[in-house]
PDB file of all heavy atoms in Angstrom:
ATOM      1  N   ILE A   1      94.865 103.089 103.787  1.00  0.00           N
ATOM      2  CA  ILE A   1      94.885 101.681 103.358  1.00  0.00           C
ATOM      3  C   ILE A   1      95.362 100.785 104.500  1.00  0.00           C
ATOM      4  O   ILE A   1      94.779  99.724 104.781  1.00  0.00           O
ATOM      5  CB  ILE A   1      95.790 101.508 102.126  1.00  0.00           C
ATOM      6  CG1 ILE A   1      95.110 102.042 100.868  1.00  0.00           C
ATOM      7  CG2 ILE A   1      96.190 100.043 101.938  1.00  0.00           C
ATOM      8  CD1 ILE A   1      94.006 101.184 100.311  1.00  0.00           C
ATOM      9  N   VAL A   2      96.435 101.191 105.164  1.00  0.00           N
ATOM     10  CA  VAL A   2      96.998 100.388 106.259  1.00  0.00           C
ATOM     11  C   VAL A   2      96.008 100.269 107.414  1.00  0.00           C
ATOM     12  O   VAL A   2      95.826  99.187 107.997  1.00  0.00           O
ATOM     13  CB  VAL A   2      98.334 100.995 106.736  1.00  0.00           C
ATOM     14  CG1 VAL A   2      98.803 100.332 108.035  1.00  0.00           C
ATOM     15  CG2 VAL A   2      99.397 100.833 105.660  1.00  0.00           C
ATOM     16  N   LEU A   3      95.343 101.359 107.760  1.00  0.00           N
ATOM     17  CA  LEU A   3      94.343 101.317 108.828  1.00  0.00           C
ATOM     18  C   LEU A   3      93.209 100.350 108.487  1.00  0.00           C
ATOM     19  O   LEU A   3      92.780  99.551 109.326  1.00  0.00           O
ATOM     20  CB  LEU A   3      93.782 102.720 109.083  1.00  0.00           C
ATOM     21  CG  LEU A   3      94.781 103.770 109.599  1.00  0.00           C
ATOM     22  CD1 LEU A   3      94.086 105.111 109.786  1.00  0.00           C
ATOM     23  CD2 LEU A   3      95.435 103.318 110.895  1.00  0.00           C
ATOM     24  N   LEU A   4      92.730 100.414 107.252  1.00  0.00           N
ATOM     25  CA  LEU A   4      91.696  99.478 106.820  1.00  0.00           C
ATOM     26  C   LEU A   4      92.203  98.039 106.884  1.00  0.00           C
ATOM     27  O   LEU A   4      91.479  97.125 107.289  1.00  0.00           O
ATOM     28  CB  LEU A   4      91.258  99.802 105.386  1.00  0.00           C
ATOM     29  CG  LEU A   4      90.383 101.036 105.175  1.00  0.00           C
ATOM     30  CD1 LEU A   4      90.169 101.284 103.695  1.00  0.00           C
ATOM     31  CD2 LEU A   4      89.044 100.861 105.866  1.00  0.00           C
ATOM     32  N   GLY A   5      93.451  97.849 106.488  1.00  0.00           N
ATOM     33  CA  GLY A   5      94.021  96.511 106.476  1.00  0.00           C
ATOM     34  C   GLY A   5      94.068  95.888 107.853  1.00  0.00           C
ATOM     35  O   GLY A   5      93.689  94.717 108.036  1.00  0.00           O
ATOM     36  N   PHE A   6      94.485  96.642 108.866  1.00  0.00           N
ATOM     37  CA  PHE A   6      94.565  96.094 110.223  1.00  0.00           C
ATOM     38  C   PHE A   6      93.180  95.841 110.817  1.00  0.00           C
ATOM     39  O   PHE A   6      93.023  94.984 111.685  1.00  0.00           O
ATOM     40  CB  PHE A   6      95.378  97.015 111.122  1.00  0.00           C
ATOM     41  CG  PHE A   6      96.868  96.850 110.936  1.00  0.00           C
ATOM     42  CD1 PHE A   6      97.652  97.901 110.499  1.00  0.00           C
ATOM     43  CD2 PHE A   6      97.477  95.636 111.204  1.00  0.00           C
ATOM     44  CE1 PHE A   6      99.011  97.749 110.319  1.00  0.00           C
ATOM     45  CE2 PHE A   6      98.846  95.472 111.034  1.00  0.00           C
ATOM     46  CZ  PHE A   6      99.618  96.530 110.581  1.00  0.00           C
ATOM     47  N   LEU A   7      92.190  96.608 110.370  1.00  0.00           N
ATOM     48  CA  LEU A   7      90.831  96.347 110.833  1.00  0.00           C
ATOM     49  C   LEU A   7      90.258  95.076 110.205  1.00  0.00           C
ATOM     50  O   LEU A   7      89.542  94.317 110.862  1.00  0.00           O
ATOM     51  CB  LEU A   7      89.923  97.529 110.508  1.00  0.00           C
ATOM     52  CG  LEU A   7      90.117  98.798 111.353  1.00  0.00           C
ATOM     53  CD1 LEU A   7      89.298  99.943 110.770  1.00  0.00           C
ATOM     54  CD2 LEU A   7      89.718  98.548 112.804  1.00  0.00           C
ATOM     55  N   LEU A   8      90.576  94.828 108.945  1.00  0.00           N
ATOM     56  CA  LEU A   8      89.967  93.728 108.215  1.00  0.00           C
ATOM     57  C   LEU A   8      90.720  92.406 108.329  1.00  0.00           C
ATOM     58  O   LEU A   8      90.119  91.338 108.343  1.00  0.00           O
ATOM     59  CB  LEU A   8      89.843  94.089 106.735  1.00  0.00           C
ATOM     60  CG  LEU A   8      88.583  94.821 106.299  1.00  0.00           C
ATOM     61  CD1 LEU A   8      88.662  95.160 104.822  1.00  0.00           C
ATOM     62  CD2 LEU A   8      87.342  93.984 106.558  1.00  0.00           C
ATOM     63  N   TYR A   9      92.043  92.470 108.395  1.00  0.00           N
ATOM     64  CA  TYR A   9      92.853  91.250 108.317  1.00  0.00           C
ATOM     65  C   TYR A   9      93.481  90.946 109.679  1.00  0.00           C
ATOM     66  O   TYR A   9      94.277  91.735 110.187  1.00  0.00           O
ATOM     67  CB  TYR A   9      93.945  91.395 107.265  1.00  0.00           C
ATOM     68  CG  TYR A   9      93.404  91.454 105.859  1.00  0.00           C
ATOM     69  CD1 TYR A   9      92.955  92.666 105.319  1.00  0.00           C
ATOM     70  CD2 TYR A   9      93.326  90.313 105.070  1.00  0.00           C
ATOM     71  CE1 TYR A   9      92.452  92.729 104.035  1.00  0.00           C
ATOM     72  CE2 TYR A   9      92.819  90.373 103.779  1.00  0.00           C
ATOM     73  CZ  TYR A   9      92.393  91.578 103.261  1.00  0.00           C
ATOM     74  OH  TYR A   9      91.883  91.649 101.989  1.00  0.00           O
ATOM     75  N   PRO A  10      93.159  89.789 110.278  1.00  0.00           N
ATOM     76  CA  PRO A  10      93.687  89.439 111.603  1.00  0.00           C
ATOM     77  C   PRO A  10      95.153  89.009 111.552  1.00  0.00           C
ATOM     78  O   PRO A  10      95.705  88.778 110.470  1.00  0.00           O
ATOM     79  CB  PRO A  10      92.787  88.280 112.032  1.00  0.00           C
ATOM     80  CG  PRO A  10      92.368  87.649 110.744  1.00  0.00           C
ATOM     81  CD  PRO A  10      92.215  88.773 109.762  1.00  0.00           C
ATOM     82  N   LEU A  11      95.720  88.874 112.734  1.00  0.00           N
ATOM     83  CA  LEU A  11      97.130  88.458 112.865  1.00  0.00           C
ATOM     84  C   LEU A  11      97.347  87.082 112.280  1.00  0.00           C
ATOM     85  O   LEU A  11      98.339  86.809 111.627  1.00  0.00           O
ATOM     86  CB  LEU A  11      97.536  88.482 114.346  1.00  0.00           C
ATOM     87  CG  LEU A  11      98.970  88.075 114.667  1.00  0.00           C
ATOM     88  CD1 LEU A  11      99.959  89.104 114.138  1.00  0.00           C
ATOM     89  CD2 LEU A  11      99.147  87.918 116.185  1.00  0.00           C
ATOM     90  N   ASN A  12      96.417  86.170 112.535  1.00  0.00           N
ATOM     91  CA  ASN A  12      96.496  84.820 111.990  1.00  0.00           C
ATOM     92  C   ASN A  12      95.084  84.319 111.728  1.00  0.00           C
ATOM     93  O   ASN A  12      94.112  85.010 111.980  1.00  0.00           O
ATOM     94  CB  ASN A  12      97.258  83.886 112.943  1.00  0.00           C
ATOM     95  CG  ASN A  12      96.665  83.900 114.343  1.00  0.00           C
ATOM     96  OD1 ASN A  12      95.483  83.654 114.534  1.00  0.00           O
ATOM     97  ND2 ASN A  12      97.501  84.213 115.334  1.00  0.00           N
ATOM     98  N   LYS A  13      94.996  83.107 111.244  1.00  0.00           N
ATOM     99  CA  LYS A  13      93.703  82.571 110.813  1.00  0.00           C
ATOM    100  C   LYS A  13      92.973  81.774 111.883  1.00  0.00           C
ATOM    101  O   LYS A  13      91.868  81.329 111.684  1.00  0.00           O
ATOM    102  CB  LYS A  13      93.893  81.662 109.581  1.00  0.00           C
ATOM    103  CG  LYS A  13      94.775  82.253 108.483  1.00  0.00           C
ATOM    104  CD  LYS A  13      94.244  83.566 107.972  1.00  0.00           C
ATOM    105  CE  LYS A  13      95.075  84.100 106.815  1.00  0.00           C
ATOM    106  NZ  LYS A  13      96.391  84.595 107.176  1.00  0.00           N
ATOM    107  N   LYS A  14      93.623  81.546 113.028  1.00  0.00           N
ATOM    108  CA  LYS A  14      93.018  80.708 114.062  1.00  0.00           C
ATOM    109  C   LYS A  14      92.975  81.453 115.392  1.00  0.00           C
ATOM    110  O   LYS A  14      93.853  82.246 115.702  1.00  0.00           O
ATOM    111  CB  LYS A  14      93.818  79.416 114.229  1.00  0.00           C
ATOM    112  CG  LYS A  14      93.807  78.527 112.988  1.00  0.00           C
ATOM    113  CD  LYS A  14      94.627  77.265 113.222  1.00  0.00           C
ATOM    114  CE  LYS A  14      94.628  76.379 111.982  1.00  0.00           C
ATOM    115  NZ  LYS A  14      95.446  75.161 112.179  1.00  0.00           N
ATOM    116  N   GLY A  15      91.980  81.148 116.154  1.00  0.00           N
ATOM    117  CA  GLY A  15      91.894  81.670 117.515  1.00  0.00           C
ATOM    118  C   GLY A  15      91.774  83.171 117.599  1.00  0.00           C
ATOM    119  O   GLY A  15      92.308  83.798 118.509  1.00  0.00           O
ATOM    120  N   ILE A  16      91.084  83.787 116.638  1.00  0.00           N
ATOM    121  CA  ILE A  16      90.952  85.250 116.653  1.00  0.00           C
ATOM    122  C   ILE A  16      89.474  85.628 116.661  1.00  0.00           C
ATOM    123  O   ILE A  16      88.613  84.860 116.264  1.00  0.00           O
ATOM    124  CB  ILE A  16      91.672  85.897 115.447  1.00  0.00           C
ATOM    125  CG1 ILE A  16      91.262  85.196 114.114  1.00  0.00           C
ATOM    126  CG2 ILE A  16      93.156  85.834 115.591  1.00  0.00           C
ATOM    127  CD1 ILE A  16      90.128  85.798 113.413  1.00  0.00           C
ATOM    128  N   ASP A  17      89.217  86.828 117.126  1.00  0.00           N
ATOM    129  CA  ASP A  17      87.855  87.367 117.095  1.00  0.00           C
ATOM    130  C   ASP A  17      87.590  87.898 115.691  1.00  0.00           C
ATOM    131  O   ASP A  17      88.241  88.844 115.243  1.00  0.00           O
ATOM    132  CB  ASP A  17      87.727  88.493 118.130  1.00  0.00           C
ATOM    133  CG  ASP A  17      86.290  89.011 118.240  1.00  0.00           C
ATOM    134  OD1 ASP A  17      85.473  88.681 117.349  1.00  0.00           O
ATOM    135  OD2 ASP A  17      86.004  89.709 119.215  1.00  0.00           O
ATOM    136  N   LYS A  18      86.640  87.280 115.005  1.00  0.00           N
ATOM    137  CA  LYS A  18      86.396  87.658 113.625  1.00  0.00           C
ATOM    138  C   LYS A  18      85.494  88.877 113.506  1.00  0.00           C
ATOM    139  O   LYS A  18      85.188  89.319 112.401  1.00  0.00           O
ATOM    140  CB  LYS A  18      85.787  86.486 112.866  1.00  0.00           C
ATOM    141  CG  LYS A  18      86.734  85.314 112.735  1.00  0.00           C
ATOM    142  CD  LYS A  18      86.332  84.417 111.589  1.00  0.00           C
ATOM    143  CE  LYS A  18      87.418  83.371 111.366  1.00  0.00           C
ATOM    144  NZ  LYS A  18      87.207  82.632 110.127  1.00  0.00           N
ATOM    145  N   HIS A  19      85.026  89.416 114.603  1.00  0.00           N
ATOM    146  CA  HIS A  19      84.082  90.523 114.549  1.00  0.00           C
ATOM    147  C   HIS A  19      84.632  91.838 115.118  1.00  0.00           C
ATOM    148  O   HIS A  19      84.001  92.878 114.972  1.00  0.00           O
ATOM    149  CB  HIS A  19      82.804  90.150 115.305  1.00  0.00           C
ATOM    150  CG  HIS A  19      82.174  88.882 114.810  1.00  0.00           C
ATOM    151  ND1 HIS A  19      81.836  88.693 113.487  1.00  0.00           N
ATOM    152  CD2 HIS A  19      81.822  87.738 115.460  1.00  0.00           C
ATOM    153  CE1 HIS A  19      81.292  87.489 113.330  1.00  0.00           C
ATOM    154  NE2 HIS A  19      81.280  86.891 114.512  1.00  0.00           N
ATOM    155  N   HIS A  20      85.811  91.769 115.734  1.00  0.00           N
ATOM    156  CA  HIS A  20      86.404  92.978 116.315  1.00  0.00           C
ATOM    157  C   HIS A  20      87.931  92.883 116.232  1.00  0.00           C
ATOM    158  O   HIS A  20      88.483  91.787 116.334  1.00  0.00           O
ATOM    159  CB  HIS A  20      85.987  93.151 117.782  1.00  0.00           C
ATOM    160  CG  HIS A  20      84.502  93.214 117.989  1.00  0.00           C
ATOM    161  ND1 HIS A  20      83.769  94.350 117.736  1.00  0.00           N
ATOM    162  CD2 HIS A  20      83.618  92.269 118.397  1.00  0.00           C
ATOM    163  CE1 HIS A  20      82.487  94.107 117.992  1.00  0.00           C
ATOM    164  NE2 HIS A  20      82.373  92.847 118.392  1.00  0.00           N
ATOM    165  N   PRO A  21      88.625  94.014 116.062  1.00  0.00           N
ATOM    166  CA  PRO A  21      90.084  93.977 116.075  1.00  0.00           C
ATOM    167  C   PRO A  21      90.615  93.634 117.462  1.00  0.00           C
ATOM    168  O   PRO A  21      89.983  93.963 118.476  1.00  0.00           O
ATOM    169  CB  PRO A  21      90.477  95.399 115.656  1.00  0.00           C
ATOM    170  CG  PRO A  21      89.295  96.246 116.001  1.00  0.00           C
ATOM    171  CD  PRO A  21      88.091  95.367 115.830  1.00  0.00           C
ATOM    172  N   SER A  22      91.775  92.984 117.498  1.00  0.00           N
ATOM    173  CA  SER A  22      92.375  92.590 118.767  1.00  0.00           C
ATOM    174  C   SER A  22      93.243  93.711 119.314  1.00  0.00           C
ATOM    175  O   SER A  22      93.470  94.738 118.662  1.00  0.00           O
ATOM    176  CB  SER A  22      93.226  91.337 118.569  1.00  0.00           C
ATOM    177  OG  SER A  22      94.349  91.646 117.756  1.00  0.00           O
ATOM    178  N   ILE A  23      93.751  93.493 120.516  1.00  0.00           N
ATOM    179  CA  ILE A  23      94.681  94.465 121.125  1.00  0.00           C
ATOM    180  C   ILE A  23      95.919  94.629 120.252  1.00  0.00           C
ATOM    181  O   ILE A  23      96.441  95.746 120.077  1.00  0.00           O
ATOM    182  CB  ILE A  23      95.089  93.990 122.542  1.00  0.00           C
ATOM    183  CG1 ILE A  23      93.878  93.988 123.477  1.00  0.00           C
ATOM    184  CG2 ILE A  23      96.194  94.889 123.093  1.00  0.00           C
ATOM    185  CD1 ILE A  23      93.276  95.345 123.706  1.00  0.00           C
ATOM    186  N   ILE A  24      96.391  93.514 119.681  1.00  0.00           N
ATOM    187  CA  ILE A  24      97.568  93.581 118.803  1.00  0.00           C
ATOM    188  C   ILE A  24      97.265  94.436 117.586  1.00  0.00           C
ATOM    189  O   ILE A  24      98.097  95.259 117.156  1.00  0.00           O
ATOM    190  CB  ILE A  24      98.008  92.162 118.391  1.00  0.00           C
ATOM    191  CG1 ILE A  24      98.485  91.381 119.615  1.00  0.00           C
ATOM    192  CG2 ILE A  24      99.113  92.228 117.335  1.00  0.00           C
ATOM    193  CD1 ILE A  24      98.836  89.942 119.339  1.00  0.00           C
ATOM    194  N   ASP A  25      96.078  94.253 117.011  1.00  0.00           N
ATOM    195  CA  ASP A  25      95.694  95.065 115.848  1.00  0.00           C
ATOM    196  C   ASP A  25      95.655  96.549 116.202  1.00  0.00           C
ATOM    197  O   ASP A  25      96.135  97.387 115.429  1.00  0.00           O
ATOM    198  CB  ASP A  25      94.318  94.629 115.340  1.00  0.00           C
ATOM    199  CG  ASP A  25      94.294  93.182 114.892  1.00  0.00           C
ATOM    200  OD1 ASP A  25      95.293  92.744 114.301  1.00  0.00           O
ATOM    201  OD2 ASP A  25      93.287  92.500 115.137  1.00  0.00           O
ATOM    202  N   ILE A  26      95.091  96.850 117.341  1.00  0.00           N
ATOM    203  CA  ILE A  26      95.025  98.251 117.783  1.00  0.00           C
ATOM    204  C   ILE A  26      96.427  98.806 117.979  1.00  0.00           C
ATOM    205  O   ILE A  26      96.718  99.963 117.636  1.00  0.00           O
ATOM    206  CB  ILE A  26      94.188  98.366 119.073  1.00  0.00           C
ATOM    207  CG1 ILE A  26      92.729  97.993 118.772  1.00  0.00           C
ATOM    208  CG2 ILE A  26      94.266  99.786 119.644  1.00  0.00           C
ATOM    209  CD1 ILE A  26      91.844  97.886 119.997  1.00  0.00           C
ATOM    210  N   GLY A  27      97.317  97.959 118.519  1.00  0.00           N
ATOM    211  CA  GLY A  27      98.705  98.388 118.683  1.00  0.00           C
ATOM    212  C   GLY A  27      99.354  98.728 117.356  1.00  0.00           C
ATOM    213  O   GLY A  27     100.054  99.753 117.226  1.00  0.00           O
ATOM    214  N   PHE A  28      99.124  97.884 116.342  1.00  0.00           N
ATOM    215  CA  PHE A  28      99.698  98.158 115.018  1.00  0.00           C
ATOM    216  C   PHE A  28      99.045  99.386 114.384  1.00  0.00           C
ATOM    217  O   PHE A  28      99.701 100.137 113.650  1.00  0.00           O
ATOM    218  CB  PHE A  28      99.530  96.939 114.107  1.00  0.00           C
ATOM    219  CG  PHE A  28     100.666  95.962 114.200  1.00  0.00           C
ATOM    220  CD1 PHE A  28     100.499  94.721 114.786  1.00  0.00           C
ATOM    221  CD2 PHE A  28     101.922  96.282 113.702  1.00  0.00           C
ATOM    222  CE1 PHE A  28     101.538  93.810 114.882  1.00  0.00           C
ATOM    223  CE2 PHE A  28     102.972  95.385 113.780  1.00  0.00           C
ATOM    224  CZ  PHE A  28     102.785  94.150 114.374  1.00  0.00           C
ATOM    225  N   ILE A  29      97.769  99.607 114.649  1.00  0.00           N
ATOM    226  CA  ILE A  29      97.107 100.808 114.133  1.00  0.00           C
ATOM    227  C   ILE A  29      97.758 102.063 114.704  1.00  0.00           C
ATOM    228  O   ILE A  29      98.012 103.042 113.984  1.00  0.00           O
ATOM    229  CB  ILE A  29      95.602 100.764 114.463  1.00  0.00           C
ATOM    230  CG1 ILE A  29      94.896  99.727 113.577  1.00  0.00           C
ATOM    231  CG2 ILE A  29      94.954 102.134 114.286  1.00  0.00           C
ATOM    232  CD1 ILE A  29      93.453  99.482 113.941  1.00  0.00           C
ATOM    233  N   ILE A  30      98.073 102.021 116.009  1.00  0.00           N
ATOM    234  CA  ILE A  30      98.754 103.161 116.637  1.00  0.00           C
ATOM    235  C   ILE A  30     100.124 103.365 116.020  1.00  0.00           C
ATOM    236  O   ILE A  30     100.544 104.504 115.724  1.00  0.00           O
ATOM    237  CB  ILE A  30      98.854 102.938 118.161  1.00  0.00           C
ATOM    238  CG1 ILE A  30      97.454 102.967 118.790  1.00  0.00           C
ATOM    239  CG2 ILE A  30      99.750 103.989 118.805  1.00  0.00           C
ATOM    240  CD1 ILE A  30      97.420 102.554 120.239  1.00  0.00           C
ATOM    241  N   LEU A  31     100.865 102.257 115.805  1.00  0.00           N
ATOM    242  CA  LEU A  31     102.193 102.349 115.187  1.00  0.00           C
ATOM    243  C   LEU A  31     102.088 102.907 113.762  1.00  0.00           C
ATOM    244  O   LEU A  31     102.953 103.688 113.339  1.00  0.00           O
ATOM    245  CB  LEU A  31     102.860 100.978 115.166  1.00  0.00           C
ATOM    246  CG  LEU A  31     103.339 100.423 116.510  1.00  0.00           C
ATOM    247  CD1 LEU A  31     103.901  99.017 116.340  1.00  0.00           C
ATOM    248  CD2 LEU A  31     104.404 101.347 117.131  1.00  0.00           C
ATOM    249  N   ALA A  32     101.035 102.514 113.036  1.00  0.00           N
ATOM    250  CA  ALA A  32     100.841 103.030 111.686  1.00  0.00           C
ATOM    251  C   ALA A  32     100.601 104.535 111.705  1.00  0.00           C
ATOM    252  O   ALA A  32     101.149 105.284 110.897  1.00  0.00           O
ATOM    253  CB  ALA A  32      99.682 102.309 111.008  1.00  0.00           C
ATOM    254  N   LEU A  33      99.770 104.968 112.647  1.00  0.00           N
ATOM    255  CA  LEU A  33      99.503 106.405 112.776  1.00  0.00           C
ATOM    256  C   LEU A  33     100.777 107.173 113.100  1.00  0.00           C
ATOM    257  O   LEU A  33     101.005 108.276 112.585  1.00  0.00           O
ATOM    258  CB  LEU A  33      98.445 106.645 113.854  1.00  0.00           C
ATOM    259  CG  LEU A  33      97.014 106.203 113.502  1.00  0.00           C
ATOM    260  CD1 LEU A  33      96.129 106.215 114.742  1.00  0.00           C
ATOM    261  CD2 LEU A  33      96.429 107.095 112.417  1.00  0.00           C
ATOM    262  N   LEU A  34     101.616 106.567 113.938  1.00  0.00           N
ATOM    263  CA  LEU A  34     102.876 107.218 114.293  1.00  0.00           C
ATOM    264  C   LEU A  34     103.861 107.204 113.132  1.00  0.00           C
ATOM    265  O   LEU A  34     104.436 108.238 112.766  1.00  0.00           O
ATOM    266  CB  LEU A  34     103.485 106.514 115.509  1.00  0.00           C
ATOM    267  CG  LEU A  34     102.758 106.669 116.846  1.00  0.00           C
ATOM    268  CD1 LEU A  34     103.392 105.774 117.914  1.00  0.00           C
ATOM    269  CD2 LEU A  34     102.773 108.130 117.285  1.00  0.00           C
ATOM    270  N   GLY A  35     104.071 106.011 112.554  1.00  0.00           N
ATOM    271  CA  GLY A  35     105.091 105.858 111.524  1.00  0.00           C
ATOM    272  C   GLY A  35     104.795 106.625 110.258  1.00  0.00           C
ATOM    273  O   GLY A  35     105.657 107.363 109.749  1.00  0.00           O
ATOM    274  N   ILE A  36     103.588 106.472 109.736  1.00  0.00           N
ATOM    275  CA  ILE A  36     103.246 107.156 108.477  1.00  0.00           C
ATOM    276  C   ILE A  36     102.794 108.581 108.756  1.00  0.00           C
ATOM    277  O   ILE A  36     103.102 109.509 107.996  1.00  0.00           O
ATOM    278  CB  ILE A  36     102.174 106.363 107.710  1.00  0.00           C
ATOM    279  CG1 ILE A  36     102.656 104.932 107.457  1.00  0.00           C
ATOM    280  CG2 ILE A  36     101.838 107.048 106.389  1.00  0.00           C
ATOM    281  CD1 ILE A  36     101.623 104.033 106.805  1.00  0.00           C
ATOM    282  N   GLY A  37     102.068 108.766 109.864  1.00  0.00           N
ATOM    283  CA  GLY A  37     101.621 110.117 110.219  1.00  0.00           C
ATOM    284  C   GLY A  37     102.777 111.079 110.440  1.00  0.00           C
ATOM    285  O   GLY A  37     102.700 112.263 110.097  1.00  0.00           O
ATOM    286  N   TYR A  38     103.876 110.551 110.988  1.00  0.00           N
ATOM    287  CA  TYR A  38     105.042 111.406 111.260  1.00  0.00           C
ATOM    288  C   TYR A  38     105.589 112.022 109.974  1.00  0.00           C
ATOM    289  O   TYR A  38     105.847 113.237 109.925  1.00  0.00           O
ATOM    290  CB  TYR A  38     106.131 110.578 111.944  1.00  0.00           C
ATOM    291  CG  TYR A  38     107.419 111.343 112.158  1.00  0.00           C
ATOM    292  CD1 TYR A  38     107.602 112.167 113.261  1.00  0.00           C
ATOM    293  CD2 TYR A  38     108.465 111.253 111.240  1.00  0.00           C
ATOM    294  CE1 TYR A  38     108.776 112.883 113.456  1.00  0.00           C
ATOM    295  CE2 TYR A  38     109.649 111.962 111.414  1.00  0.00           C
ATOM    296  CZ  TYR A  38     109.801 112.775 112.521  1.00  0.00           C
ATOM    297  OH  TYR A  38     110.971 113.475 112.694  1.00  0.00           O
ATOM    298  N   ILE A  39     105.757 111.197 108.931  1.00  0.00           N
ATOM    299  CA  ILE A  39     106.364 111.740 107.708  1.00  0.00           C
ATOM    300  C   ILE A  39     105.377 112.643 106.970  1.00  0.00           C
ATOM    301  O   ILE A  39     105.770 113.578 106.275  1.00  0.00           O
ATOM    302  CB  ILE A  39     106.887 110.609 106.794  1.00  0.00           C
ATOM    303  CG1 ILE A  39     107.823 111.170 105.727  1.00  0.00           C
ATOM    304  CG2 ILE A  39     105.751 109.830 106.168  1.00  0.00           C
ATOM    305  CD1 ILE A  39     109.072 111.807 106.281  1.00  0.00           C
TER     306      ILE A  39
END
C-alpha cells in the first residue's frame, strides 16, 4: 500500500511531475522498503 501511495501521490500539488515519481518519492520508497521490510 505504501509503495503504491508514493507512486501515485506527489509531495505537494504544485511544481511536480505528474507522470513520473520524483527523486524524493524514490527516496521515500527506499525508506519504506527498509522500515517495513526490516520488521
Side-chain angles (χ1 to χ4, degrees):
I1 285 285
V2 169
L3 296 179
L4 286 174
F6 280 118
L7 287 172
L8 272 177
Y9 292 84
L11 180 68
N12 54 55
K13 313 302 184 288
K14 296 180 180 179
I16 49 92
D17 185 346
K18 295 201 172 190
H19 305 305
H20 303 281
S22 67
I23 295 297
I24 295 176
D25 299 322
I26 294 172
F28 271 110
I29 287 173
I30 293 171
L31 289 176
L33 289 168
L34 291 173
I36 304 175
Y38 175 84
I39 195 63

